[in-house]
């Protein structure tokens, strides 16, 4: 079946530093990868959608300068949180799918704590 | 843009009682998909139910939901709650305008106690 491995599961970083999280698709080709953030007491908010061979589309309030994403092939995607501050804490989730006829499969999330 | 509104916060039930988690949505697309995801702590959210067909009941693992486009609703139900149903439940919507990426509701925490 389709699986998405996301790592690390949780991380702590000092304020002003950066951290990178990765997602690996297993059992299918991740043509599209969506990155979400769930801040405390909030729902999953879309950061950006990455589709292979297309430009990465960022949602309002999220920028490439802050959340650069790499999607180099059909099995891997990474996102970095640059200069993390307290408001960046939360659960970051990646979801991937193969085609328009398939549902997104989600990773288990990366919980970011900023101190 | 799309939005999803669901029963917020915490729902506490006694085992054996029926479950009903509300979900309503807004979208301009008539062919949108509605989903219910289950999220257990430290695990991946996984798809419980999905539907894009009006007035058709969808069932999986004892849960069911019927998409009603006239009222823009997709409520999640189960006739008898089990302890193992305790989890976070997210209603979500996807449509062709957004490349089918899900838009999530705020989530409902269901706690089933003996």
């Amino acid at each position: 079946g389709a699986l998405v491995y996301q790592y690390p599961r949780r991380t702590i970083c000092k304020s002003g530093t950066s951290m990178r999280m990765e997602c690996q698709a297993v059992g299918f080709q991740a043509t599209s990868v969506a990155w979400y953030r769930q801040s405390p007491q909030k729902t999953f908010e879309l950061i950006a959608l990455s589709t292979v061979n297309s430009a990465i589309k960022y949602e309002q309030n999220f920028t490439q300068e802050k959340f650069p994403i790499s999607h180099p092939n059909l099995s891997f995607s990474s996102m970095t949180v640059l200069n993390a501050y307290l408001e960046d804490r939360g659960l970051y989730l990646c979801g991937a799918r193969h085609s328009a006829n398939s549902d997104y499969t989600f990773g288990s999330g990366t919980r970011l704590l900023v101190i | 843009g799309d939005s999803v509104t669901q029963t917020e916060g915490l729902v506490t039930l006694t085992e054996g009682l029926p479950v009903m988690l509300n979900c309503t949505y807004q979208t301009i697309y008539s062919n949108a998909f509605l989903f219910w995801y289950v999220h257990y702590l430290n695990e991946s959210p996984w798809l419980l139910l999905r539907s894009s067909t009006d007035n058709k009941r969808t069932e999986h693992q004892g849960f069911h939901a019927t998409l009603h486009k006239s009222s823009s609703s997709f409520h999640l139900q189960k006739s008898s709650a089990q302890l193992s149903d305790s989890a976070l439940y997210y209603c979500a919507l996807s449509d062709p305008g957004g490349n089918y990426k899900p838009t999530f509701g705020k989530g409902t925490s269901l706690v089933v106690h003996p």
Side-chain angles (χ1 to χ4, degrees):
Chain A
L3 290 172
V4 173
Y5 291 108
Q6 183 173 353
Y7 37 89
R9 295 293 293 274
R10 52 179 57 86
T11 185
I12 301 173
C13 68
K14 286 187 176 180
S15 182
T17 64
S18 302
M19 71 80 53
R20 173 179 144 126
M21 56 195 80
E22 301 178 344
C23 276
Q24 185 90 31
V26 177
F28 71 107
Q29 293 182 319
T31 305
S32 296
V33 176
W35 286 93
Y36 291 84
R37 177 176 72 186
Q38 185 183 42
S39 300
Q41 311 304 321
K42 291 189 177 180
T43 190
F44 291 105
E45 191 179 12
L46 183 68
I47 297 171
L49 177 67
S50 172
T51 303
V52 170
N53 297 326
S54 296
I56 298 171
K57 186 170 183 281
Y58 286 83
E59 294 295 297
Q60 195 174 7
N61 301 326
F62 297 98
T63 65
Q64 182 181 5
E65 290 71 31
K66 174 70 175 177
F67 300 98
I69 290 169
S70 172
H71 188 182
N73 56 54
L74 291 172
S75 64
F76 181 82
S77 179
S78 67
M79 184 178 75
T80 301
V81 181
L82 293 176
N83 300 317
Y85 288 98
L86 190 62
E87 59 265 27
D88 295 318
R89 64 196 167 112
L91 180 68
Y92 289 81
L93 193 68
C94 73
R97 69 166 187 170
H98 172 53
S99 68
N101 295 324
S102 56
D103 295 315
Y104 277 86
T105 299
F106 289 95
S108 54
T110 297
R111 191 165 295 280
L112 172 63
L113 179 62
V114 182
I115 58 174
Chain B
D2 294 342
S3 68
V4 176
T5 303
Q6 61 178 111
T7 303
E8 286 191 33
L10 177 66
V11 172
T12 306
L13 285 173
T14 303
E15 188 180 17
L17 290 181
V19 178
M20 172 88 157
L21 303 183
N22 290 335
C23 174
T24 57
Y25 63 92
Q26 284 188 318
T27 180
I28 62 172
Y29 293 93
S30 61
N31 55 345
F33 281 84
L34 271 295
F35 308 87
W36 276 99
Y37 285 90
V38 185
H39 193 192
Y40 293 98
L41 189 63
N42 296 321
E43 294 185 11
S44 306
W46 55 272
L47 183 62
L48 179 62
L49 293 171
R50 73 196 292 270
S51 180
S52 62
T53 306
D54 198 12
N55 298 319
K56 182 180 177 184
R57 177 173 160 138
T58 302
E59 297 189 42
H60 186 59
Q61 297 199 345
F63 287 90
H64 63 92
T66 303
L67 176 60
H68 292 298
K69 294 186 180 182
S70 60
S71 57
S72 298
S73 66
F74 192 56
H75 306 319
L76 181 67
Q77 299 181 69
K78 188 177 184 183
S79 58
S80 176
Q82 297 176 290
L83 296 176
S84 57
D85 294 331
S86 297
L88 276 165
Y89 291 80
Y90 291 95
C91 185
L93 162 79
S94 74
D95 62 59
N99 196 24
Y100 293 103
K101 59 188 182 300
T103 296
F104 290 91
K106 291 189 175 181
T108 305
S109 181
L110 177 65
V111 175
V112 182
H113 57 83

